[in-house]
Amino acid sequence: MLIVLTLLFAVAFVAPLIFRKLGRSTFYILAAVPAAGFVWLIATFGNYTNANQKALDGAPNAPPSVVIDWVPGLQLQLAFRMDTLAAVLCILILGVGALVLFYCARYFKADDPDIGPFGAQLLAFSGAMFGLVTADDLILMYIFWELTSVLSYLLIGYARHRLSARRSALQALMVTTFGGLAMLVGILMIGQTAGTYRISEILANASSILAYGQIIDIAILLILVGAISKSALVPFHFWLPAAMAAPTPVSAYLHAAAMVKAGIYLIALLSPGFSSTEYWHPVVLGLGLLTMLVGGWQALRQHDLKLILAYGTVSQLGFLTLVVGLGSQEAALAGLGLLLAHGFFKATLFLVVGIIDHQAGTRDIRELSHLYRKAPKLFAVALVGAASMAGLPPLLGFVAKESVYEAFIHREEASGWVGGLLLAGIVIGSILTFAYSARFIWGGFAAKPGLAAIDFKPVPWAFLAAPAILAVATLLFGLWPVPVEEAVEPYAELFPLDTVATHLALWHGLTPALGLTGITLAAGVALFLLRTPVAAFQAKIHFIPDADRIYRGIIGVLDEVAIWVTGRTQRGSLVFYLCVILVVAIVTPLTAVVLMDAPLPESLVWFDTPAQAIAGLIVAAGALGAIRANKRFMAVLMVSVTGYGLAFIFAIQGAPDLALTQLLVETISLVAIVLALRSLPARLWLRTPGRFKLLRAIIGAGFGLTMIVIAMTAMAARTADPISLALPKLAYEDGGGRNIVNVILVDIRAWDTFGEISVLALAATGVASLIFIRGRGDKRPQSVDAVASGSVGRGYEMVAHSDREAAALATARKFAVVPRDAWLVAGRTLAPERRSIIFEVITRLLFHSVMIFSVYLLLAGHNLPGGGFAGGLLAGIALTIRYLAGGRVELAEATPISAGLLLGLGLAAASLTAVVPLFLGGQVFQSAIIEFSLPVFGDHKFVTSTIFDIGVYLVVVGLVLDVLRSFGSEIDERSEERTSRGRKTSELHPPATIEEEVSS
Amino acid sequence: MTVNLTLLLVMGVLFAVGVYLILERSLTRVMLGLMLITNGANLLLLSTGGPAGLAPIFGMDVPAETYSDPLPQALILTSIVISFAVTAFMLAIIYRSWVLGRQDEVQDDIEDRRVANQPTFDAEDDAEIPAETTEFVPPDEAEETPATNRARTEREK
């Protein structure tokens, strides 16, 4: 069983490759796979029919099964089981599948570009169908169920350049998945209630499961929705005729023999256990009958041979549902007989239509004429199929329909008027069936008055073989129905025995059923002969609403609602989104506080120390100042005030690390902001400042208030001791450091910090990419020797307003060309008017000390305030000073390692401390304390988490460097290019180098 | 636990002003608003640590309660540096926006407006198509790509 399943999918998987080699002949190879499966099925058929159908796995004489654990935690299993019902379906799936694939080899043109994927999909479909009927687990079955829907979608949409194919494919997918989803809910309900998803167990315990009552009724109803959508019953029937946009072999296989039978299969599967649930009979019998009549009625109106068959299929699917869902032994026997008969004759007829379309170039019965003479063999095959469909002896269709009549006559005797109604309905349905069968043969083959014989190429035998074999089977099993009966009887025996045991047979004697057949034939012939008045009558009646139009209406309304909702919610305005988010963030917690009786704090203090209060006032004033400020840099300064104020609050709160870091960050931020925003206009607003000031103020104030309330409530609600009471000891003994905050960062919560430095590296790269655009701009610029003196920063010549300034400028110029060692490496490259000798001297004196101090902060950070963050920021400040004093060439000279490399090295060092302990048998980020003593320096302790801190240090330096390079150097260079371009146009050409300028 | 009103009030002001600023169109003000909100959030974290205490540098005989709570401090430290990275990124965006469009304002997303105003008619779904009675049409006659359909939709609009 598994081998067949695997083989079907595996060959489908490689099929496109074979197609590339062998072209359309590959279909023969593909056909061999289901054919082999079919041979295996027939050879082992006795194993399935002789088994006890009700026996569970492991019980003696149970049907063959395979169970493989899939996701044990979710009780998901790959459970397969081949009982009689599955085996009967497999006859169609494998048998018809092989024939259809064989047929494809002649149907498609040799140079069709898409047949590779098509063949693969068709074969995969047979695999999915095989899996669907052999699955013994509801979830597994559902997976195969949806797989068939998806493959059906792909196969219908084969001609993807045609709108009709695309639209029909999507429609079929939507309708069947809609049903599929309903079914999934039903499956979950039934599985959870029963405590198992194993189909055989559920059926074996059906009587106890039924005792759960309504939930099972509803679950079964939902599963039925899935079944009727798949089997194209009213009101979902419209997708099937539309699906005729698929190539005809697909129609023959999916939409006649196999996929649409999945719904019938499901009904047949559940019928022995659950046909007594509340909604079963109304849905199955009511919709089944309605579908049978609607389909037959519509089939009589069609002019396209394929659509006649499509509506005929709809009608027959209703019929099958009705019979299989009835839930009695003889109906089950008749139902499966009919299922096989329908599979044979409908596939035959579809394949015949495919041949007609292929050879004549049309399927329109108003154009086809005289075919019976042009293609007599084809005609014979079609005649057998159509006669079986119409229920004529001695064919399988007749045998099956006879048993159906028999079953419904007994039903009528048992249940009065409902039974009578059903019986009358199926007789009318069968009359319609006869009429459209006749219409098919007449329309396809007859000589019509006024129409010349249509051009028809001769049909090669390989093309005709598939329908011919099916026609022979139809005839053979009509004459000799014993094998069919033997195949389906074990399934029928799942139902309680009726009054009399029935059999499938050609001749039952002169029974009421035979009488009904007589009536059917007579009325059918009459209906066919009266086709002109009937058509006129049909044209007048419009009482049947067009389901396709209703479907499109529903989809249209959905579209409109979707657009409306999108238009109302997705305004494209950031401010709007933020307002919505903030209002929710204000209203929800406040409502909760009011409704849930939030606790109040035990005690309040205004401030811990007066200094704290003063600092608080400064911070608040800075914030309010930021609102008032009109000038860009004024606003920035105000925000900085809050930052520095905060650093002070940190300091007096007992958080030296925070104070240090905040101070450094605030300083670097200020520099970065000034550098980045220097090319923007000084005034903040170019246009009128934003509207809705009051609303924004209300939202702002509301949010601030909400945060205060939340904070108070949260603090008042605290009952347990803070976790941090354990941290000091943990830090000292396990982390090996006295600075508890630092140990938390590099050891106790190292994962957090690792995440953070990754974000820093990303942000740094983001900044560099946004400014440099092409890459990170990490390439080392030209060395300082190649840069001419005074050539950098020429864009901003100072204009001397006074004598004093003029004198200063002159001194600066002279100083610029003094031929002795400069204070800074690249100081001379800067334009003289931009240089500051004092700044250069101070930089020279400070830089190395600051760098050394930063390394000290890094290394001492484990025990004293400091650490990688503070150290890195301090080193960043040192670089900032170098840049400000000496310009971009100076910065490049100060950093022999590129920013990208620094970031990478930092992350690598941090990762190293994460990974190495794993190899030494420890855990991720586990630290070790190494103690050693050196002569002179005494005893020392080295904690490996320091390496992590070094990584942090490097990443922070990399970030600051990226900020300086981007907002500093790169923007400098661009504004210089711009001004020099401007100068060229205005003919004001300055001396190229400083030497020229001084000498002039 | 005792609640320190100064810290909470200052936090409230920072959040309020920050929110007021990020609701503006000027990107610079949005960035400043974000910086203020970060400061507010740091203050919130700080105040959850309780009253001022000793700096969390381990001493052998010091009871754990007398330290200023180190855990919020570690969180704040992370937050300070991250917020610097965010500020830098915002700056890069502002500069870029200035270079490209000479403005530092948050623009409305035009694509969203287009989606909201699109017609409900779509040829792919709604066009009337003639019934076909054969599959064997020459490909050039049957060529209906989504692109030609879109063109048709435009025309019919």
Side-chain angles (χ1 to χ4, degrees), chain B residues 62-79:
Chain B
V62 186
E65 298 84 40
T66 49
Y67 294 121
S68 172
D69 194 337
L71 190 60
Q73 291 193 23
L75 301 181
I76 296 171
L77 194 67
T78 318
S79 150

Side-chain angles (χ1 to χ4, degrees), chain A residues 439-581:
Chain A
R439 180 182 175 85
F440 177 83
I441 289 295
W442 167 80
F445 295 91
K448 281 160 225 165
L451 272 180
I454 194 160
D455 283 343
F456 201 78
K457 287 169 256 170
V459 187
W461 70 267
F463 205 8
L464 190 61
I469 291 172
L470 286 168
V472 168
T474 300
L475 185 63
L476 178 67
F477 292 121
L479 291 169
W480 181 49
V482 182
V484 177
E485 175 164 328
E486 274 177 6
V488 300
E489 202 160 25
Y491 165 73
E493 279 165 5
L494 288 172
F495 295 92
L497 184 65
D498 297 299
T499 43
V500 283
T502 48
H503 297 284
L504 293 175
L506 203 52
W507 178 249
H508 283 282
L510 289 172
T511 54
L514 194 63
L516 286 179
T517 304
I519 296 173
T520 309
L521 299 187
V525 170
L527 198 58
F528 171 68
L529 292 178
L530 295 173
R531 57 183 176 272
T532 325
V534 169
F537 175 66
Q538 281 189 324
K540 266 187 238 156
I541 303 185
H542 300 290
F543 70 89
I544 301 170
D546 186 347
D548 181 49
R549 212 156 270 287
I550 295 173
Y551 164 82
R552 275 163 68 183
I554 292 172
I555 297 293
V557 169
L558 268 180
D559 278 352
E560 272 167 44
V561 171
I563 291 175
W564 187 84
V565 171
T566 311
R568 290 299 167 285
T569 54
Q570 304 296 305
R571 299 274 194 92
S573 156
L574 180 64
V575 177
F576 174 78
Y577 299 151
L578 281 175
C579 280
V580 172
I581 293 170

Side-chain angles (χ1 to χ4, degrees), chain A residues 576-593 698-711, chain B residues 15 19 22 37:
Chain A
F576 174 78
Y577 299 151
L578 281 175
C579 280
V580 172
I581 293 170
L582 287 167
V583 168
V584 172
I586 293 169
V587 171
T588 316
L590 285 188
T591 318
V593 164
I698 291 172
I699 292 181
F703 191 75
L705 195 69
T706 309
M707 290 308 292
I708 294 178
V709 172
I710 290 176
Chain B
F15 270 115
V19 165
I22 62 166
I37 288 178

